[in-house]
Amino acid sequence: MCGWPGPDGHSSSLELCESRLSSLRGFNATVTYRFSSLPQPALTEMLMRHGVSRPVAESLSADYPERIPTAVRLVEEKVASGWKARSLSASLVDAVKEPAKWGYAAPQKDVKPPTKKTQAPVPDETPPDLKTVVESLAKVKLGRQLSPMAQDALEALTEEQFQTVKQALMKPKSEALPLLQALLSAPL
């Protein structure tokens, strides 16, 4: 959902927002919103005159406004030369959506290439230590933090024992939890 509170304080979704993509977290987070265009009435009417239903015509005029005039002209020329379509409206929709199939190149939208911003180099993240990995895996399997007794037992493990515990936690939950409890000799 791509919404936010409106001026009246109520949550209102932005109708033109199709999707939101997020990557990373915290200060390095990037959020990308993808917006759809508004339907163009003149192009919608042009398609409807050829039998395309209003919802489909509005969708096409919003998504492919630069293709519609060429597609309409191409289909009209084919019909004028004696071509009989099973469905004129379906042929027109196909011509708009699949320009290569109909023998014309889709015009490029007038989009300026994004300006390249120099970003601060992202430092190479060091992999988390084995103890952190084991604690995270245990928390995921349990759905909560380890008990204080289990945390104390975890602190006393050697590197080799951490590897064994990690391997146990990689198993399905039904096997991992009894193994973890046995390896730590403490209630989870």
Side-chain angles (χ1 to χ4, degrees):
M1 182 170 138
C2 302
W4 54 79
D8 59 354
H10 292 72
S11 179
S12 63
S13 67
L14 183 59
E15 292 178 15
L16 299 178
C17 186
E18 290 181 348
S19 63
R20 182 182 76 196
L21 304 171
S22 301
S23 62
L24 303 175
R25 293 184 181 179
F27 291 111
N28 293 332
T30 302
V31 179
T32 305
Y33 290 95
R34 181 170 177 248
F35 292 93
S36 63
S37 304
L38 288 172
Q40 296 185 14
L43 297 175
T44 300
E45 292 300 320
M46 183 186 297
L47 291 170
M48 288 176 57
R49 280 194 301 271
H50 289 84
V52 178
S53 68
R54 178 174 292 282
V56 173
E58 287 177 342
S59 175
L60 291 174
S61 71
D63 294 341
Y64 310 106
E66 69 284 351
R67 296 181 187 177
I68 293 172
T70 307
V72 168
R73 182 182 44 77
L74 184 74
V75 170
E76 285 175 345
E77 287 173 0
K78 286 186 95 165
V79 169
S81 68
W83 178 69
K84 296 207 185 264
R86 287 189 198 171
S87 169
L88 181 63
S89 59
S91 298
L92 189 53
V93 169
D94 190 49
V96 171
K97 287 185 174 181
E98 302 291 335
K101 180 177 166 183
W102 284 77
Y104 75 96
Q108 296 294 322
K109 292 183 179 179
D110 293 333
V111 177
K112 294 180 183 176
T115 58
K116 292 186 178 183
K117 296 180 182 177
T118 55
Q119 295 181 352
V122 178
D124 292 335
E125 292 184 22
T126 57
D129 65 332
L130 193 54
K131 179 181 179 243
T132 305
V133 171
V134 167
E135 286 174 339
S136 298
L137 285 170
K139 184 176 179 180
V140 168
K141 295 288 183 183
L142 280 171
R144 61 174 171 80
Q145 292 287 348
L146 287 169
S147 70
M149 290 175 62
Q151 288 177 0
D152 290 341
L154 203 60
E155 293 290 330
L157 295 179
T158 65
E159 188 75 22
E160 186 177 305
Q161 290 170 326
F162 268 116
Q163 287 291 347
T164 305
V165 170
K166 179 184 172 192
Q167 289 176 351
L169 287 170
M170 298 302 282
K171 296 184 180 288
K173 183 177 180 178
S174 58
E175 296 175 37
L177 295 180
L179 282 171
L180 180 62
Q181 189 163 357
L183 290 168
L184 295 179
S185 301
L188 302 177

